Amino acid sequence: MCGIVGYVGKELAAPILIESLKRLEYRGYDSAGITVLNESLETYKTVGKIADLELILPERIIAYTGIGHTRWATHGKPETKNAHPHMSSGISLVHNGIIENYLQLKERLIECGYVFESDTDTEVIAHLLNNKMYKGAKKLDLLTAVRETISELEGSYAIAVLCSDEPGCLVFARKDSPLVIGIGDDGYYAASDVTAFLKYTRKVIYVDDHEVGAIRPGSIEIFDPRGNLLAKEMHTVEWDLEAAEKAGYEHFMLKEIHEQPASIQNTFAGKLLELEGTVKMDELYLSPEQIKHLRRATIIACGTSWNAGALGKYLFEKLAGVHTDIETASEFRYASPVLCGEELTIAITQSGETADTLAAVRSSRSYGCRNIAITNVVGSTITRESDSVIYTRAGPEIGVAATKTFTAQLIILYMLAIHMGRVRGVLSAGEAKSLIVNIKRIPGQIQKILNRKESIRECAEQFADKRDYFFIGRYLNFPIALEGALKLKEISYIHAEGYAAGELKHGPLALLTEDTPVVAIATRGHTYDKMLSNIKEVKARNATVIAVANEDDTEIEKYVDVVLRIPPSHEMTSPVLSSVVLQLLAYYTALAKGCSIDKPRNLAKSVTVE
Ligand code: F6R
């Protein structure tokens, strides 16, 4: 996730910016840079680590104002030209967030004569600011120009800006990306999170959405969107550094579970065209003709990404009418797949580095297949070996157990299925609109689940001493049952199996006793009644049933022992919500057992060996 920092004060800015950027390293990044302002702007940036940035800095830079950035690539590869700060003569800017309408703005600015040096969405903000300040009827000051500029931006941003005409001044603004100001004895700090400046001060002011402000030596002003000066409250941060990195959460996994409303929003930002009933998939290098004539798609993945792919198969078949196979990468690479050229493979891998997935993709490409990669890491190996790359914009995931990358993968699969369904004429505009509306509701629905997570915690604690668990579901909920079981086993070390609910009677029923909790995903949909029958089957063996069900379902509690609720939702999108419930169930079970949640034994975040 990108991180921004800024400083205005009595100390030399460069060492403070570097130290602050180091404190943001835990968020993950691929490049970094700073700008300092004395009489003019001096910018230094590079791909790689902060240590690499330090190597290109002059020994002593005399400047008391500056901004800095760690970049996690979203638009444009990790290259020095794409690293922040971005400049537009006399202006330097760092940004965290995504500007959704950057292409329209870019076209307009190119017509005005601006030359773009990077592939980023951020550079448009710098040029737009320059345009406002210097090319309008009258020259604007930086604060006014920032206010006017952000009124044209769609998307999310936290920005910090310097202008060579206003030495000693740093202007900031935010919408849907975090920004906090530190008040020190020697000066003021700005950052994406408090860890950046915790070493210097614990006194903070939280900037809220749509606020704009300016820091000058000895003063700070923050304004509401109408330009009224605000009297903002100052808070004292009590966290130590480690707690602050986790934003106060006990584990990265819990933090990442809580980030899902935002990570999902980022993943679909700018892509869902509700009015038209279409999805914008500019990254997909497949012509409408190729999509129309697609005979088969093969999804290739491992682990959690495989579970996402298993749901993708149902979506592609239902919404786009494309016959879809789901393959385990480690098997596929040694099998004898029957593939002919011009077929489509879709590799799902959050890291983009999983050795088995890469090998399977290489093998499929040797048959002439075109590959689409769905990944979270810009510039990862899979992106260099695929014809099209679609990014999940979940931000770096530090907990080994995948959570927010899984739900972001699901969102991409919904969008891809809708896009293909529309192009192939399988899905009507009305059906697509209804799905789009329901996808847009997901972040708010997840937030509701998070707000009521205590009931999931109680349930987890009640059954944390069990040796075995079963997870069952039908249709779209079957892959979610597999994922629920995988999450539980990998972080709590409880043996768990995910099963298609209809398969229980073909063997596993023999294992059920009153000591075996069975998690039944029984959300509303066309398999609901069948799920109730399976639940009764399980209850007849005296097993405990924990149901995941909709809030408005009053029937289910008659048959089960515990009900974990999700908000009322569309059958097609409810699996995303159920998966969040199961992530929390696994998390609180592991917590109750005192397991090493962020780094489970024997597991690695990125499996780069066979
Ligand atoms: C489980 C988990 C793993 C990964 C698998 C594939 O929580 O994270 O099962 O899903 O190792 O990794 P990627 O998606 O990076 O290819």
Side-chain angles (χ1 to χ4, degrees):
M1 226 174 325
C2 298
I4 68 173
V5 299
Y7 176 74
V8 176
K10 296 183 191 144
E11 301 293 327
L12 290 177
I16 291 177
L17 296 172
I18 292 292
E19 181 62 26
S20 303
L21 290 177
K22 283 183 181 165
R23 298 290 173 197
L24 294 183
E25 281 189 304
Y26 78 94
R27 294 160 69 101
Y29 67 105
D30 47 60
S31 47
I34 62 167
T35 292
V36 288
L37 172 59
N38 192 354
E39 274 161 14
S40 60
L41 296 167
E42 280 178 47
T43 297
Y44 305 91
K45 53 188 190 174
T46 181
V47 280
K49 298 283 162 205
I50 310 294
D52 300 313
L53 177 63
E54 282 182 287
L55 288 178
I56 61 167
L57 295 183
E59 204 158 301
R60 190 171 154 83
I61 310 176
I62 309 295
Y64 301 90
T65 303
I67 54 178
H69 191 267
T70 47
R71 175 171 189 255
W72 165 266
T74 55
H75 293 83
K77 292 190 179 130
E79 290 173 7
T80 300
K81 68 170 185 179
N82 291 331
H84 299 216
H86 286 285
M87 272 84 62
S88 183
S89 65
I91 287 169
S92 180
L93 167 134
V94 289
H95 166 223
N96 172 18
I98 294 172
I99 304 305
E100 292 168 20
N101 60 335
Y102 85 102
L103 281 175
Q104 294 99 296
L105 293 170
K106 189 168 176 174
E107 276 167 27
R108 218 178 76 201
L109 289 159
I110 289 172
E111 276 170 25
C112 296
Y114 285 94
V115 177
F116 280 76
E117 289 182 357
S118 76
D119 309 317
T120 64
D121 51 338
T122 301
E123 197 180 352
V124 296
I125 317 177
H127 291 318
L128 199 54
L129 261 169
N130 182 287
N131 193 264
K132 301 265 179 215
M133 284 189 81
Y134 300 113
K135 306 272 167 74
K138 66 175 179 72
K139 187 176 177 301
L140 299 182
D141 63 88
L142 182 61
L143 185 65
T144 312
V146 167
R147 194 177 290 133
E148 289 198 5
T149 296
I150 58 176
S151 71
E152 294 194 35
L153 303 180
E154 287 168 23
S156 57
Y157 52 81
I159 54 172
V161 196
L162 303 177
C163 173
S164 54
D165 282 347
E166 298 189 29
C169 175
L170 182 159
V171 173
F172 56 85
R174 84 157 261 184
K175 177 181 166 267
D176 295 332
S177 284
L179 184 62
V180 56
I181 304 295
I183 318 288
D185 295 334
D186 60 36
Y188 294 96
Y189 306 80
S192 300
D193 78 45
V194 290
T195 47
F197 53 67
L198 217 47
K199 181 173 168 189
Y200 305 108
T201 181
R202 291 182 168 271
K203 292 186 198 139
V204 302
I205 294 176
Y206 294 102
V207 181
D208 290 310
D209 275 350
H210 307 289
E211 289 177 354
V212 182
I215 304 171
R216 297 185 181 85
S219 82
I220 174 161
E221 292 175 313
I222 303 183
F223 301 89
D224 73 9
R226 281 193 225 99
N228 301 314
L229 184 63
L230 298 168
K232 300 272 298 181
E233 199 184 334
M234 194 165 74
H235 301 263
T236 304
V237 176
E238 307 291 355
W239 299 333
D240 61 18
L241 201 59
E242 202 197 328
E245 284 183 351
K246 293 177 190 146
Y249 292 104
E250 209 171 332
H251 296 94
F252 280 111
M253 181 181 177
L254 189 61
K255 174 172 177 266
E256 285 154 7
I257 290 174
H258 279 77
E259 281 170 352
Q260 289 176 109
S263 55
I264 287 176
Q265 184 90 39
N266 281 343
T267 299
F268 67 59
K271 288 189 152 66
L272 297 175
L273 307 182
E274 189 180 325
L275 291 179
E276 292 92 326
T278 55
V279 174
K280 207 158 143 241
M281 279 275 157
D282 294 339
E283 325 77 328
L284 197 62
Y285 293 107
L286 277 183
S287 68
E289 280 312 298
Q290 285 171 316
I291 294 178
K292 274 184 202 150
H293 294 118
L294 207 60
R295 284 187 15 253
R296 181 165 77 142
T298 303
I299 300 178
I300 299 169
C302 300
T304 287
S305 296
W306 189 97
N307 294 337
L311 193 123
K313 168 186 161 67
Y314 289 135
L315 297 178
F316 291 168
E317 294 187 339
K318 165 92 181 154
L319 304 178
V322 178
H323 170 96
T324 307
D325 294 321
I326 165 81
E327 298 283 352
T328 301
S330 55
E331 287 296 311
F332 181 86
R333 60 184 294 192
Y334 293 115
S336 313
V338 181
L339 292 168
C340 52
E342 296 298 296
E343 279 194 31
L344 182 66
T345 56
I346 301 168
I348 309 177
T349 163
Q350 65 80 23
S351 63
E353 302 294 349
T354 300
D356 286 323
T357 306
L358 289 171
V361 166
R362 283 171 196 145
S363 150
S364 72
R365 281 167 73 82
S366 71
Y367 291 87
C369 295
R370 281 182 306 267
N371 185 53
I372 302 175
I374 299 176
T375 185
N376 198 42
V377 182
V378 176
S380 55
T381 306
I382 194 81
T383 65
R384 298 194 291 277
E385 304 201 8
S386 302
D387 304 282
S388 306
V389 181
I390 310 177
Y391 289 108
T392 49
R393 300 221 167 100
E397 193 172 62
I398 293 166
V400 164
T403 52
K404 61 176 179 169
T405 54
F406 173 70
T407 49
Q409 287 167 351
L410 296 184
I411 298 299
I412 298 285
L413 291 166
Y414 284 111
M415 294 196 293
L416 200 50
I418 295 172
H419 175 69
M420 295 205 291
R422 292 291 291 126
V423 175
R424 289 165 68 86
V426 173
L427 200 64
S428 71
E431 288 166 324
K433 267 185 212 176
S434 153
L435 280 166
I436 288 172
V437 168
N438 280 289
I439 293 172
K440 286 187 172 173
R441 282 192 188 134
I442 293 174
Q445 291 169 324
I446 292 182
Q447 194 54 56
K448 283 195 183 144
I449 295 172
L450 298 173
N451 294 347
R452 294 182 310 220
K453 58 183 187 275
E454 268 317 296
S455 58
I456 304 173
R457 181 187 190 128
E458 281 164 24
C459 171
E461 286 171 357
Q462 195 181 338
F463 301 108
D465 61 341
K466 300 298 175 206
R467 214 190 53 186
D468 307 291
Y469 249 90
F470 274 84
F471 287 74
I472 58 171
R474 281 176 174 263
Y475 186 45
L476 299 174
N477 289 330
F478 168 43
I480 302 303
L482 295 176
E483 176 58 10
L486 179 59
K487 281 296 84 97
L488 188 72
K489 65 185 137 194
E490 68 180 326
I491 61 167
S492 76
Y493 315 140
I494 291 177
H495 166 242
E497 287 195 45
Y499 252 90
E503 272 290 295
L504 275 189
K505 57 185 172 295
H506 298 292
L509 270 187
L511 291 173
L512 298 189
T513 68
E514 57 195 17
D515 240 7
T516 325
V518 177
V519 179
I521 309 170
T523 48
R524 292 214 188 280
H526 74 284
T527 58
Y528 177 80
D529 290 338
K530 297 281 170 220
M531 268 311 287
L532 282 190
S533 308
N534 293 131
I535 287 171
K536 288 175 194 162
E537 221 167 57
V538 169
K539 280 308 297 173
R541 273 79 190 170
N542 290 328
T544 307
V545 177
I546 302 164
V548 179
N550 291 102
E551 246 162 53
D552 51 357
D553 181 349
T554 47
E555 175 81 0
I556 191 93
E557 52 219 34
K558 295 184 200 148
Y559 310 109
V560 305
D561 301 272
V562 182
V563 189
L564 302 176
R565 301 286 185 179
I566 63 165
S569 50
H570 193 284
E571 175 181 17
M572 296 301 283
T573 51
S574 68
V576 185
L577 310 182
S578 301
S579 71
V580 175
V581 171
L582 301 187
Q583 291 166 358
L584 287 164
L585 185 70
Y587 173 80
Y588 284 122
T589 306
L591 189 70
K593 293 186 70 182
C595 299
S596 163
I597 292 181
D598 283 332
K599 291 196 174 98
R601 71 182 176 217
N602 306 336
L603 298 180
K605 185 75 194 153
S606 183
V607 187
T608 54
V609 290
E610 212 187 310

